[in-house]
Amino acid sequence: MPSRLRRGASVALLAIACAAASAGPEKKNWFDDPFFQVSSGARGCPVPEGPLYTAEERRSQMHARLERGTSCWLEGRCKDSNAFRYDIAIAPQVQAALSAVPGVRSASVWAVVQRRWVYLQGCVPSRTLARRLEKAARAVPDVELVVDDLMIGTRGKPSYPVAGP
């Protein structure tokens, strides 16, 4: 192989290795937590990352998720022995309830469902709409808690992790 070609191949391999290293560890939705967008009316709203974890974060969360999932059942608040098993059934009901809230189309709203908890993320034009969305999600059967991480407007730093470029 000519030296120019070897040098070119070496530079290309180095560039690929650097790009992979700077990208950081791969993140996935290891636990299949429901994550969905309800509306997209607020342009410029920071897009949530969703329930993505690195393999290391997954390992550190496994014990806590097991413990939190069964505590609901042990305390008599759940019929199922794992609160996370409710999430797949709750998600479409939450999505329908949030989509029916008047004014939601003027907002950009996403939801994450984890262990019967609903996390509302995104941007709304008013605190009134945020309260209506929270109330609608809370009214869904088997939802235990609603966490309002909504921003009023699109300026400022969101309280939720933001999706990468």
Side-chain angles (χ1 to χ4, degrees):
M1 184 184 289
S3 65
R4 278 187 180 169
L5 190 54
R6 271 195 306 263
R7 242 179 292 159
S10 297
V11 169
L13 286 173
L14 182 60
I16 291 169
C18 287
S22 68
E26 178 185 18
K27 288 186 159 194
K28 292 178 165 182
N29 186 353
W30 294 96
F31 304 105
D32 294 325
D33 294 324
F35 173 62
F36 52 89
Q37 187 170 15
V38 176
S39 62
S40 59
R43 294 179 190 256
C45 183
V47 177
E49 179 179 69
L52 302 180
Y53 306 99
T54 64
E56 182 61 34
E57 290 168 329
R58 174 182 162 253
R59 280 190 291 280
S60 71
Q61 283 213 7
M62 286 177 76
H63 175 74
R65 287 176 73 102
L66 179 64
E67 188 175 281
R68 285 180 294 186
T70 57
S71 64
C72 172
W73 178 69
L74 292 171
E75 294 168 3
R77 295 181 291 118
C78 296
K79 295 174 192 164
D80 196 313
S81 62
N82 185 337
F84 290 95
R85 283 197 282 255
Y86 287 84
D87 298 343
I88 297 298
I90 288 174
Q93 295 174 58
V94 168
Q95 188 165 20
L98 295 174
S99 296
V101 172
V104 72
R105 288 196 172 137
S106 66
S108 288
V109 177
W110 291 262
V112 177
V113 182
Q114 293 177 328
R115 87 166 189 267
R116 300 175 55 213
W117 290 22
V118 177
Y119 296 85
L120 299 176
Q121 301 171 335
C123 305
V124 293
S126 68
R127 180 55 45 206
T128 301
L129 180 55
R131 281 193 294 270
R132 279 193 227 133
L133 290 165
E134 184 179 353
K135 183 178 178 183
R138 203 176 329 109
V140 172
D142 290 322
V143 168
E144 182 180 357
L145 180 73
V146 178
V147 178
D148 176 358
D149 282 335
L150 296 166
M151 297 173 46
I152 307 303
T154 58
R155 297 181 192 265
K157 185 174 176 2
S159 59
Y160 53 84
V162 176

